[in-house]
Amino acid sequence: NSIMARSKKIQGNIEVVNLVANDPTLIEQTPAGNETGEDYVQFGAKDDHFQYMLDCYINSATHGAICNGMILRILGKGLDKPEVVDYEDLKRFVTDRYIMGNAAWQKIDGKLMHVPVNYLRKHPANEDEQVLDFEYSTEFDEGGAGQDKKTIPNGQHFPNAKHCIFWTKSYAPKTFYYGLPNFENGLAYAELEIALSKHLNKTVHNSFSVTKIINFNNGAIPDEAERKLTVRKVKDSVTGENGEPVIVAFNPDKDSAATVDDISVDNAAEKYQYVSTEAQQKLIVAHGITSPLLLGIRDTGGGLGSNKDE
């Protein structure tokens, strides 16, 4: 994703994947610096930061619950101007603004309507630091603009245009074109919660089977095609269709018999609980929530003495 980039390192026959933080100055990619040469400013090193924020919102239970609670409190009863702004459009606008730090209206024939902000990208600013146009496409989240791509003027500079865009964003240091949500520094913990959820789901689907290493110590290491065939046969016979909790290794020596070693995690339940609690607490801090119970989250870390006091 935009925040974490994968770096690969090969050690013998084992591939190690590390997660390394991107330079925050790479969050905006102008046409001169992006990889695709498009005529708009990309959001994220691979133009995927909108999608990253949406994934965190959709897949992290704690982050999603906090966002939904905050959105409803910001929205309230809406605005008493239905002839100008529809309530559902206003709700969508507030949702975008909170979870992605950016939101946009489109004005068509004098009527304000919500437009998903992740479907928009800004054109580079002119010499007066003004963004005059936006690019619209429903396929930006899929890695680039699609056939429906079209240019729409900025309503701030062309308010009389029949169809124009009004954009609002949160201020963030080191960014000019796009805003970042106030909880941006907590999204790594939403990602951690998602990773833990996937791991626990996989463990349950594999009937809580432990991870194993199967070593083939038969002398010469077979070629790549033969190794892949052997690995596939082993996994098919051991794990079934719900996962692959085994590691198959080929070694040049150490007897001629295969060995099977269990890899167990000491105090796994306590570690899972620690990661879950830590992720939840950090997300609460990142959102600036002083009373989680008001958002439907029971804070086990302290707070007031009882639910009644809360």
Side-chain angles (χ1 to χ4, degrees):
N1 54 51
S2 311
I3 300 301
M4 307 301 290
R6 295 181 181 274
S7 64
K8 294 185 178 180
K9 180 169 56 177
I10 304 298
Q11 297 180 344
N13 293 305
I14 299 176
E15 183 180 277
V16 180
V17 179
N18 297 318
L19 295 177
V20 294
N22 275 344
D23 184 340
T25 59
L26 300 180
I27 199 75
E28 295 178 345
Q29 299 290 318
T30 60
N34 66 42
E35 297 178 358
T36 60
E38 299 287 358
D39 56 354
Y40 50 83
V41 181
Q42 296 184 346
F43 191 26
K46 296 182 179 179
D47 199 23
D48 57 356
H49 198 60
F50 277 127
Q51 189 59 48
Y52 171 64
M53 292 186 288
L54 287 170
D55 288 343
C56 287
Y57 167 67
I58 293 170
N59 296 311
S60 169
T62 301
H63 179 56
I66 294 175
C67 286
N68 289 336
M70 294 297 291
I71 289 165
L72 290 176
R73 281 153 182 75
I74 294 169
L75 182 65
K77 295 182 179 180
L79 299 176
D80 190 21
K81 295 289 182 181
E83 69 279 6
V84 178
V85 179
D86 178 76
Y87 178 84
E88 289 301 320
D89 271 340
L90 182 62
K91 184 176 181 181
R92 296 184 188 103
F93 177 87
V94 171
T95 299
D96 282 0
R97 184 66 164 77
Y98 189 77
I99 68 176
M100 291 185 283
N102 301 267
W105 295 108
Q106 59 178 332
K107 187 182 76 170
I108 302 178
D109 295 330
K111 177 73 174 180
L112 282 179
M113 293 183 290
H114 166 261
V115 56
V117 74
N118 50 306
Y119 290 170
L120 294 170
R121 298 293 186 273
K122 293 185 176 183
H123 275 194
N126 61 19
E127 58 185 12
D128 296 322
E129 296 188 349
Q130 297 174 333
V131 175
L132 301 181
D133 300 291
F134 298 87
E135 288 296 327
Y136 170 92
S137 173
T138 59
E139 298 182 31
F140 274 131
D141 291 342
E142 299 174 13
Q147 297 297 320
D148 62 345
K149 176 186 173 185
K150 60 183 176 181
T151 302
I152 305 175
N154 187 342
Q156 182 180 356
H157 303 295
F158 303 98
N160 296 323
K162 185 178 180 179
H163 184 193
C164 59
I165 297 291
F166 292 94
W167 182 289
T168 178
K169 67 184 181 71
S170 301
Y171 167 76
K174 293 189 175 183
T175 65
F176 173 77
Y177 293 97
Y178 303 107
L180 296 172
N182 295 334
F183 51 78
E184 174 75 21
N185 56 5
L187 288 179
Y189 287 94
E191 192 176 359
L192 180 63
E193 190 172 74
I194 295 168
L196 179 61
S197 173
K198 290 180 178 179
H199 173 72
L200 293 178
N201 268 279
K202 184 176 179 180
T203 300
V204 172
H205 290 158
N206 286 311
S207 303
F208 297 94
S209 61
V210 298
T211 299
K212 297 180 182 296
I213 293 182
I214 300 178
N215 292 296
F216 287 90
N217 307 313
N218 297 322
I221 297 177
D223 59 33
E224 184 177 0
E226 188 176 348
R227 292 203 305 270
K228 288 182 177 180
L229 177 61
T230 303
V231 169
R232 185 167 65 250
K233 287 182 177 179
V234 170
K235 289 182 177 179
D236 287 345
S237 63
V238 176
T239 66
E241 62 181 4
N242 291 323
E244 299 178 349
V246 299
I247 301 173
V248 180
F250 297 89
N251 305 297
D253 48 39
K254 194 178 179 180
D255 301 329
S256 59
T259 61
V260 179
D261 301 318
D262 287 338
I263 300 178
S264 59
V265 179
D266 294 335
N267 303 318
E270 290 83 352
K271 291 178 180 178
Y272 294 153
Q273 182 61 49
Y274 170 78
V275 172
S276 177
T277 302
E278 181 71 4
Q280 184 180 89
Q281 291 298 322
K282 288 298 189 294
L283 283 167
I284 289 172
V285 171
H287 282 270
I289 305 301
T290 57
S291 184
L293 194 62
L294 295 177
L295 299 178
I297 299 173
R298 180 58 185 159
D299 182 9
T300 59
L304 299 178
S306 69
N307 289 4
K308 178 182 178 181
D309 292 336
E310 190 96 9

